Amino acid sequence: MNSKIVGVGHYVPENVVTNDDLAAYIDTSDEWIRERTGIQERRWFNPDKDTVANMATRATKMALERAHMDAKEIEFIVFATITPDYFFPGSGVLLQRELGLQGIGAIDIRNACSGFIYGLSTADAFIKSGMYKTVLVIGAEIQSSALDKTTAGRNTNVIFADGAGAAILQATEEKSGVLTTHLHADGDYAEELYVRDPGSSRKVRLSPELIAGDSFKVYMNGNGVFKHAVVRFEEVIREALDKTGKSTEDIDLLIPHQANLRISQFIQRKLNLPDEKIFNNIMYLGNTTAASIPIALSEAVDQGRVKKGDLVCLAAFGSGFTWASALIEWS
Ligand code: UT7
C-alpha cells in the first residue's frame, strides 16, 4: 500500500501587514526587509476571529471540497504546530471537534518549520502500515502573538506570520504518491531558535518577573540559522533524490519551506533549477513556520503548477534544528 495526496487547502488571515506598517513603529524599512528576506507583506491574525484550530478547519474544508470527500472519511489527524491554541491539549483535538469527528485519533507534532513534512511522513507510515486509509495532515500557526513587536525583535517580527494549510492523504495501490520522506534533527542547536517560556522546568512556570523579561518571545540567531539552513536544505533534497534514483533535472516543482527568499534562491542555484521549477510565496505571506509548505502546495495546485505525473519535492529546515524532505509523484 502506498499513500497519495488527494486534496490540499489553505487559509490565511484577512489582515495584511505591510513592511511600511511595521516601519511605522519599529526601526526598520521596506527596503531592508525586501532586500534581506524578500518579504513585502504578511498576514497576522485577528484575535476576534482567528484561532489556530479554526484556520486549520477552514483549510481542511477547502481540501475536502477539492477531494470531493466528506469529513467523515478522515480516520486520523496529524496536526503540526508550535503555536497551539492551548498550552495543552494540542490543537489536533480542537480541529477534530470542529470537524465533528469526535472519537478518531489526533496527534500534535512540534517540529516547527519541518513540522508539516514530519506530519506527512507520519501519515504516510500509518497508511503504509495498513493502520489507516485516510489521514488529515495540518500545518497551522499563529506566530504573530509570540513576537517581540519592538525594535529589539526586528530580526523575527518582520519575518514570521500566520496561516494554515491542509493535505489529505489516502491509501492507494498506485506506485505514485509519496515516494520517500527523510527526517533529521540536531538538538545541539535547540536554543538557536526557540521560545524559552512558559517552560515546565522552571520552579514557577509563570511569574511577574518572567513575564517582564524576554523569555516568552521568539529568539533567533538569524545568521547561525541561515548558515545551517543552506547546507541542510540541499543535503536533504539530494538524500531524497538518491534514495529514489532521481536527479535534480527530474524535479518538476520544488516547494521549500518559506524561511527567507534568499535561502530559497540559494538552494535554487545549488540545484540549478529554473524559476518555473521553484515555488515561493514568502513575498506576500511571510514565514508561517509549519504552515508554509502546505499553504504553498495548495497555492501551487490553485495556479496549475502541479500536474498529474509531476515530481514534487518538499524540503524544510528550522528550529530544533530539524530538517526534512519528501518526494511526491503527483497523481
Ligand atoms: O523558518 C525558520 C528558520 N529561519 C530562518 O531560516 C531565518 C534565517 N535567517 C535570516 O533570514 C536572516 O538571518 C535575517 C533576515 C533574520 C537577518 O538577516 P541578516 O542579513 O542575517 O542580518 P543580521 O542578523 O546579520 O543583522 C545585520 C544588521 C544588524 O545591525 P548591525 O548590528 O549590523 O548594526 C541587525 O541589527 O541588520 C540589523 N537588522 C535589521 N535592520 C533593519 C536585523 N533585523 C533588521 C530589520 N530591519 N528588520
Side-chain angles (χ1 to χ4, degrees):
M1 204 47 91
N2 211 353
S3 83
K4 70 175 189 177
I5 295 179
V6 292
V8 285
H10 69 282
Y11 175 82
V12 292
E14 286 163 8
N15 179 31
V16 176
V17 179
T18 66
N19 293 344
D20 285 335
D21 291 337
L22 297 180
Y25 58 93
I26 295 163
D27 181 11
T28 187
S29 66
D30 178 48
E31 194 191 354
W32 192 97
I33 302 169
R34 279 179 197 248
E35 199 182 298
R36 303 288 184 115
T37 71
I39 300 169
Q40 299 165 23
E41 59 185 43
R42 76 284 291 137
R43 302 295 179 99
W44 281 359
F45 84 124
N46 174 348
D48 297 326
K49 190 176 164 221
D50 303 311
T51 67
V52 172
N54 77 22
M55 292 196 302
T57 305
R58 293 181 194 127
T60 302
K61 287 188 174 158
M62 185 195 263
L64 286 166
E65 211 170 286
R66 282 186 176 154
H68 309 292
M69 270 176 64
D70 190 274
K72 298 275 177 259
E73 288 185 53
I74 297 168
E75 295 171 310
F76 194 80
I77 295 172
V78 182
F79 199 118
T81 185
I82 49 165
T83 54
D85 291 304
Y86 301 151
F87 192 74
F88 73 82
S91 288
V93 298
L94 305 182
L95 170 65
Q96 183 239 44
R97 181 174 64 190
E98 289 199 24
L99 292 172
L101 296 178
Q102 285 84 343
I104 70 163
I107 51 168
D108 275 38
I109 288 193
R110 291 171 47 84
N111 285 62
C113 306
S114 310
F116 179 78
I117 301 180
Y118 267 75
L120 186 83
S121 181
T122 304
D124 177 56
F126 274 140
I127 289 172
K128 285 190 169 123
S129 76
M131 191 156 170
Y132 299 113
K133 284 197 173 56
T134 307
V135 180
L136 170 64
V137 186
I138 297 289
E141 307 278 5
I142 291 178
Q143 289 285 6
S144 60
S145 57
L147 298 171
D148 174 354
K149 292 193 185 123
T150 69
T151 295
R154 67 183 177 174
N155 80 328
T156 52
N157 59 32
V158 302
I159 293 181
F160 291 110
D162 310 333
I168 301 166
L169 260 75
Q170 218 160 34
T172 177
E173 279 170 10
E174 295 164 22
K175 285 217 166 61
S176 54
V178 179
L179 303 182
T180 189
T181 58
H182 300 269
L183 311 177
H184 297 281
D186 187 346
D188 279 351
Y189 299 94
E191 288 81 19
E192 294 292 290
L193 171 50
Y194 81 136
V195 177
R196 171 67 183 88
D197 286 309
S200 307
S201 53
R202 297 270 192 208
K203 195 169 173 198
V204 181
R205 196 180 283 170
L206 284 174
S207 66
E209 294 74 34
L210 268 181
I211 292 170
D214 288 330
S215 62
F216 287 89
K217 298 165 186 166
V218 177
Y219 167 80
M220 176 167 77
N221 168 4
N223 257 302
V225 174
F226 197 106
K227 283 179 190 146
H228 281 86
V230 289
V231 173
R232 296 304 194 188
F233 262 112
E234 186 189 357
E235 199 177 272
V236 78
I237 291 168
R238 290 198 187 275
E239 183 183 0
L241 292 171
D242 287 350
K243 177 74 190 290
T244 49
K246 311 258 183 207
S247 72
T248 52
E249 289 90 62
D250 295 321
I251 296 176
D252 293 295
L253 192 67
L254 170 65
I255 301 183
H257 159 57
Q258 301 292 291
N260 179 322
L261 192 60
R262 284 166 56 215
I263 295 179
S264 295
Q265 288 167 341
F266 187 89
I267 307 159
Q268 183 185 352
R269 278 197 301 277
K270 292 288 270 185
L271 301 178
N272 202 19
L273 296 177
D275 288 349
E276 63 274 15
K277 288 195 171 188
I278 185 162
F279 191 89
N280 288 306
N281 61 11
I282 191 168
M283 302 77 79
Y284 52 93
L285 291 183
N287 175 341
T288 56
T289 316
S292 94
I293 290 178
I295 294 173
L297 187 57
S298 176
E299 285 197 338
V301 168
D302 268 346
Q303 295 170 21
R305 301 225 3 221
V306 182
K307 300 176 300 299
K308 192 172 163 43
D310 277 358
L311 187 66
V312 179
C313 179
L314 312 179
F317 179 89
S319 169
F321 291 151
T322 58
W323 60 103
S325 65
L327 272 184
I328 301 165
E329 188 179 325
W330 206 256
S331 52

